[in-house]
Amino acid sequence: MANAEMFDLRGLMGRHAQMSGVWVALAAMIIFGLLRYDNFGSAYNLGSFLNYNSMFIIISLGMCFVIMTGGIDLSVGYVAAFTSIVAAYLSPWGIVPALIGGVAAGVAFGAVNAILIVPMRLPPFIATLSTMLAAKGGSLVISGNQTVAVDWDSNFTKLGMDKAFGPIPWTIVLVAIAAVILWVVLERTPLGRTVLAVGGSEEASGLMGLKVTRAKVFVYLLSGGCAGLAGVFLASGFGAGQPLEGTGWELTAIASVVVGGTLLTGGLGSIPATVGGALLLGLVFNLLNFENGRGTISLSAYWQMVIRGGVLFAVILLQARMSKSAERAK
């Protein structure tokens, strides 16, 4: 019993250390932005930043659960593009059908991933690569390789363009609710503990009688649903379903999860730190493109990639040092 308690204490300290690294880096960059630019803290910039990054936060949350089991989901970017078109087609009937239809389409892709990975035992990389290509092709087919405009007379665009209160958009409110629910699932339910256990050792989890199959199916359905919701945000916020949007989103989601301290081998992860990781990556992009609120690009795309890679590397190093410090303090 004492050993189990010590294991939990060590895990708790390590997770807090990793989460702290993300928020320390995020706070430092916010302070830099406030000192460097006059309008960085304006309501317009804050609202635009949160609205745009709500898509990346939500797919990162789904990806976090997948990676905690030791899996991967490469399909989320093009699934989001596909669901943005579905939502745009359903937009004349209002926000509820478009929202439900988009999320349902994402869950359907997640179900295909789950079938390929769990009963058919395909490697997650191969399975989700195939559904990524299927989603990309499907998007081009149903849209005719054209953007699909939403119905501006319906209330659908209010989801992505209106503010819930102050500069806070409705999309970030939904993301916050989803994050709280997923945090409760991960930290307070047997399903969440099984997800972590499967990532630690799938074989041992099975021998312990845990419901491994249910946990693995759940994470891929969740990832698909989160990608579907990101697509709904995309269509509502930009006024159109876009078949080729979402390229590279899966890499952004994976990077957010890793920056948040989740192990790519599974068994360890944090919902708040994943949110922090997604915000951090979004903030780097925001700062690199910020010219005192005018929204014009101030640095070439090539240098932006170099700088973003450097920031990622620095944050991961910071997390590693803080984790080692926590280990030495025990």
Side-chain angles (χ1 to χ4, degrees):
M1 182 65 182
N3 289 337
E5 290 176 349
M6 184 169 293
F7 174 80
D8 289 337
L9 178 60
R10 289 175 178 173
L12 186 64
M13 292 180 69
R15 293 172 69 181
H16 278 299
Q18 290 168 324
M19 189 166 62
S20 299
V22 173
W23 292 108
V24 167
L26 187 62
M29 296 192 70
I30 290 173
I31 292 172
F32 170 79
L34 291 171
L35 295 176
R36 176 68 178 81
Y37 300 110
D38 293 337
N39 297 322
F40 181 78
S42 66
Y44 173 79
N45 188 52
L46 178 61
S48 300
F49 170 76
L50 292 175
N51 202 21
Y52 183 71
N53 285 284
S54 61
M55 299 181 293
F56 300 108
I57 297 173
I58 194 68
I59 63 171
S60 298
L61 292 175
M63 184 70 78
C64 181
F65 271 79
V66 171
I67 290 178
M68 281 190 288
T69 64
I72 198 76
D73 187 352
L74 300 178
S75 66
V76 291
Y78 283 115
V79 168
F82 184 92
T83 60
S84 75
I85 296 168
V86 172
Y89 278 131
L90 294 173
S91 63
W93 286 274
I95 187 171
V96 174
L99 178 63
I100 293 175
V103 173
V107 171
F109 274 100
V112 174
N113 283 332
I115 291 170
L116 294 175
I117 293 167
V118 182
M120 298 181 69
R121 297 183 179 278
L122 287 179
F125 184 92
I126 301 300
T128 58
L129 181 64
S130 65
T131 49
M132 178 185 78
L133 295 175
K136 181 179 181 181
S139 300
L140 295 171
V141 168
I142 65 174
S143 68
N145 195 18
Q146 302 291 326
T147 58
V148 179
V150 304
D151 185 350
W152 290 87
D153 293 330
S154 73
N155 59 0
F156 177 59
T157 55
K158 292 182 178 179
L159 174 65
M161 298 182 181
D162 284 4
K163 303 294 186 292
F165 47 89
I168 308 300
W170 279 109
T171 52
I172 207 70
V173 173
L174 291 181
V175 167
I177 293 171
V180 171
I181 292 172
L182 292 178
W183 179 83
V184 171
V185 169
L186 179 63
E187 302 287 345
R188 296 288 184 267
T189 69
L191 177 59
R193 289 190 284 273
T194 302
V195 167
L196 290 171
V198 169
S201 174
E202 184 173 337
E203 182 179 2
S205 300
L207 292 173
M208 292 169 62
L210 299 178
K211 296 179 179 178
V212 174
T213 299
R214 185 182 69 168
K216 293 180 70 174
V217 170
F218 165 74
V219 298
Y220 286 101
L221 291 177
L222 175 65
S223 183
C226 288
L229 188 56
V232 172
F233 291 168
L234 173 66
S236 180
F238 289 84
Q242 305 186 45
L244 294 180
E245 192 64 44
T247 303
W249 285 18
E250 67 282 355
L251 298 179
T252 300
I254 293 169
S256 300
V257 172
V258 172
V259 168
T262 298
L263 294 179
L264 282 174
T265 52
L268 178 67
S270 165
I271 295 302
T274 298
V275 173
L279 289 173
L280 181 63
L281 293 181
L283 189 59
V284 173
F285 182 80
N286 183 261
L287 285 171
L288 291 174
N289 289 280
F290 194 88
E291 281 197 352
N292 220 18
R294 293 196 294 272
T296 55
I297 296 176
S298 57
L299 195 64
S300 77
Y302 306 131
W303 277 111
Q304 288 189 38
M305 284 190 283
V306 172
I307 294 173
R308 293 176 78 179
V311 171
L312 275 175
F313 183 69
V315 171
I316 291 171
L317 279 182
L318 176 63
Q319 289 177 330
R321 289 183 64 86
M322 295 184 73
S323 294
K324 287 181 180 178
S325 298
E327 287 290 329
R328 285 195 295 267
K330 289 183 291 187

